[in-house]
Amino acid sequence: MDRYTLKSKEIPLNSSFDVIVVGGGPAGCTAAAAAAREGASTLLIEATGSLGGMGTSGLVPAWCPFSDKQKMIYRGLAAKVFDTLKGQMPHVHADALDWVPIEPEKLKRVYDDLVTEAGASVLFLTTLADVERDEDGNVTAIVVLNKGGLQAFRAKVYVDCTGDGDVAAWAGAEYQKGDAVTGELQPATHCFILGNVDDYAYLNGQNLHAENPLSPIHEAYQSGAYPGIPDTHLCNNLVAPRSVGFNAGHLWGVDNTDTFTVSNAMIEGRRMAAAYRDMLAAVQPSAFGNAFVMSTGTLIGTRESRRIIGDYILTAEDYIGRKSFEDEICRNSYFLDIHGNQEEQQNGTGSSLSITLYGPGESHGIPYRCLTPRGLRNVLVAGRSISCDRRVLGSVRVMPVCLAMGEAAGLAAALASGQAENDVHAVDVALLRKRLKEEGAYLPDIEAEAVEVETSEQ
């Protein structure tokens, strides 16, 4: 690629914040709220015009389970977001915890209130453009771009909730991405909502989900009559009256750090949404005969990109062993949901390579050390780009656990901002866990025989 050298120029610098959170998805929202709640002056920077990421701009139609099949385990600010939205959706049972629908416009306002009522400031329509660091591993400033042009912001501590680990990676942190041999990434999905659906016919018709062997998606796909439909993946939920949200189909070759691939995927995703509408109108006319594509996501549904290497790398073996850690900051019970390659998806092996390992009440811990990038002193990472192997990423990438991780990262950032060195690796983890418990986090007492795992060298 040709190179172009920018002419040197001075840009405005804002140094008024203790903590800056980059990325306003679920992890970023709880991180900003938690940091501000602790008294740190906090700024949340978001590239789009709304908070919430995949649940709002991405139109993911339902929360992954909030329970371990016995009780809610994503608590604290995660539970506040979940319960607040659920309370505004009268068609959802008050006791529902798993696969609860999301009405995206309502969720946007839930996140707005969560962040602003905690005292954090929000800067929308602002994109990260560069990261400056010193030789000691301190990020000294970030450069952003919005309609005001290039601007620099300096904080004591930064929380990377970009989903792709942009802040940490651009600051020089080591990372992994995709399959270690092939580099292949899990496919993306472009979610959409169909409007003017007949609610009664939809709720009382054949279950459309691909896990149902009688779903019409199987015959429709195998018939070859709908070439715009790439496979049988077809998750769906009634998100509002006469409105059904779909997490359907796969888009391969999408790398969220390569905007050309994302741009092409969004064009193809909108075509796919129309193809699904036409297929559903044909196979379930009583429900979808008069339906139309009401909305497609303004964000692509990315399942995998960078994984920042931290002080510990969470592994699938930790998951399988239901591992507890002395420094764990949340629990997780979602299954290993790894969406396979194109051949696996299209040969009828299912919509995902899902491995459900846990019984009722079972979960594993996520250690604080997965949030602390090696080689960076004043940066934390929360969300799907935490330090983990590719297999367990299939579990820790989803919204409920991202909410829980974000709260821990924000609270830790506030604690680090009060130190002389602002070193996230030196945060008092006992105090962090104590404050999380005081705010309602689910952190069961660690069994006496649980041994803290030494820093991984993987």
Side-chain angles (χ1 to χ4, degrees):
M1 181 180 292
D2 292 339
R3 298 290 178 180
Y4 179 83
T5 301
L6 293 173
K7 297 176 181 178
S8 61
K9 61 183 293 187
E10 290 187 349
I11 60 175
L13 171 66
N14 185 324
S15 301
S16 62
F17 295 98
D18 297 322
V19 174
I20 293 178
V21 180
V22 184
C29 289
T30 53
R37 183 183 63 196
E38 296 302 301
S41 56
T42 302
L43 174 66
L44 175 57
I45 295 174
E46 165 55 30
T48 71
S50 63
L51 300 176
M54 285 297 100
T56 55
S57 298
L59 298 185
V60 171
W63 298 104
C64 288
F66 263 72
S67 83
D68 62 4
K69 304 183 182 70
Q70 285 185 343
K71 58 189 175 299
M72 177 184 283
I73 65 167
Y74 308 101
R75 302 181 190 172
L77 291 178
K80 182 176 182 179
V81 170
F82 178 74
D83 289 337
T84 301
L85 177 64
K86 188 169 64 171
Q88 298 176 19
M89 298 178 65
H91 72 287
V92 177
H93 195 281
D95 295 330
L97 291 175
D98 298 340
W99 304 112
V100 171
I102 295 171
E103 187 173 347
E105 286 301 321
K106 284 186 168 64
L107 183 56
K108 289 177 185 178
R109 298 195 298 274
V110 171
Y111 282 126
D112 284 343
D113 292 344
L114 177 81
V115 171
T116 58
E117 288 174 4
S121 300
V122 181
L123 192 58
F124 285 127
L125 304 173
T126 299
T127 303
L128 183 71
D130 202 359
V131 179
E132 299 281 321
R133 60 161 283 181
D134 63 22
E135 294 180 355
D136 296 323
N138 294 296
V139 169
T140 56
I142 60 172
V143 178
V144 301
L145 175 65
N146 57 28
K147 294 298 287 186
L150 291 173
Q151 302 156 51
F153 285 85
R154 176 177 294 152
K156 297 175 181 177
V157 180
Y158 303 83
V159 186
D160 184 344
C161 297
T162 59
D164 301 309
D166 291 336
V167 177
W170 293 1
E174 182 184 358
Y175 64 86
Q176 298 172 339
K177 188 168 74 169
D179 183 270
V181 177
T182 66
E184 183 180 49
L185 298 166
Q186 290 188 59
T189 293
H190 197 185
C191 297
F192 59 93
I193 297 175
L194 297 186
N196 201 34
V197 177
D198 186 300
D199 292 355
Y200 181 85
Y202 167 73
L203 293 172
N204 291 277
Q206 186 64 256
N207 180 357
L208 296 172
H209 199 285
E211 291 186 1
N212 172 23
L214 299 179
S215 170
I217 186 61
H218 299 292
E219 183 177 351
Y221 173 66
Q222 294 297 330
S223 72
Y226 305 97
I229 295 174
D231 53 56
T232 61
H233 175 55
L234 193 65
C235 300
N236 53 98
N237 297 81
L238 186 69
V239 299
R242 304 187 69 81
S243 305
V244 177
F246 287 85
N247 174 350
H250 292 97
L251 295 155
W252 290 276
V254 183
D255 180 347
N256 214 47
T257 67
D258 179 346
T259 309
F260 278 107
T261 69
V262 175
S263 301
N264 292 334
M266 295 192 78
I267 292 170
E268 181 59 26
R270 286 189 279 270
R271 292 177 180 145
M272 284 170 53
Y276 276 102
R277 181 268 156 205
D278 292 345
M279 179 273 291
L280 290 166
V283 301
Q284 285 198 355
S286 59
F288 296 100
N290 295 314
F292 67 99
V293 178
M294 184 166 70
S295 183
T296 56
T298 55
L299 288 177
I300 205 78
T302 300
R303 294 184 173 91
E304 181 178 16
S305 60
R306 298 188 189 102
R307 306 186 309 278
I308 302 300
I309 303 301
D311 291 324
Y312 182 76
I313 300 175
L314 190 71
T315 68
E317 287 71 28
D318 295 329
Y319 181 99
I320 293 167
R322 284 76 168 167
K323 189 73 179 181
S324 294
F325 300 88
E326 291 184 1
D327 64 334
E328 67 188 35
I329 44 79
C330 67
R331 303 290 295 184
N332 176 53
S333 64
Y334 186 58
F335 58 82
L336 296 176
D337 186 5
I338 304 169
H339 290 235
N341 61 34
Q342 188 166 2
E343 180 181 357
E344 291 167 330
Q345 295 294 340
Q346 294 182 333
N347 68 8
T349 59
S351 61
S352 66
L353 301 179
S354 305
I355 307 172
T356 304
L357 292 171
Y358 286 173
E362 294 183 328
S363 61
H364 72 92
I366 296 180
Y368 174 65
R369 289 164 293 159
C370 291
L371 280 55
T372 52
R374 293 181 192 171
L376 298 180
R377 180 177 291 180
N378 63 340
V379 177
L380 287 154
V381 174
R384 76 163 186 267
S385 52
I386 67 162
S387 183
C388 64
D389 72 20
R390 189 178 187 229
R391 295 167 299 168
V392 84
L393 171 68
S395 174
V396 302
R397 64 180 171 79
V398 298
M399 290 186 287
V401 67
C402 286
L403 287 165
M405 289 189 287
E407 181 173 10
L411 208 161
L415 295 176
S417 73
Q419 303 170 347
E421 299 296 325
N422 307 135
D423 185 355
V424 300
H425 305 269
V427 164
D428 184 340
V429 176
L431 175 59
L432 172 62
R433 284 171 48 83
K434 177 177 179 292
R435 283 291 299 121
L436 287 170
K437 286 183 178 181
E438 289 171 349
E439 295 295 337
Y442 174 62
L443 289 171
D445 292 336
I446 299 170
E447 298 295 331
E449 64 268 20
V451 177
E452 182 176 359
V453 179
E454 296 298 327
T455 300
S456 173
E457 297 298 331
Q458 299 178 7

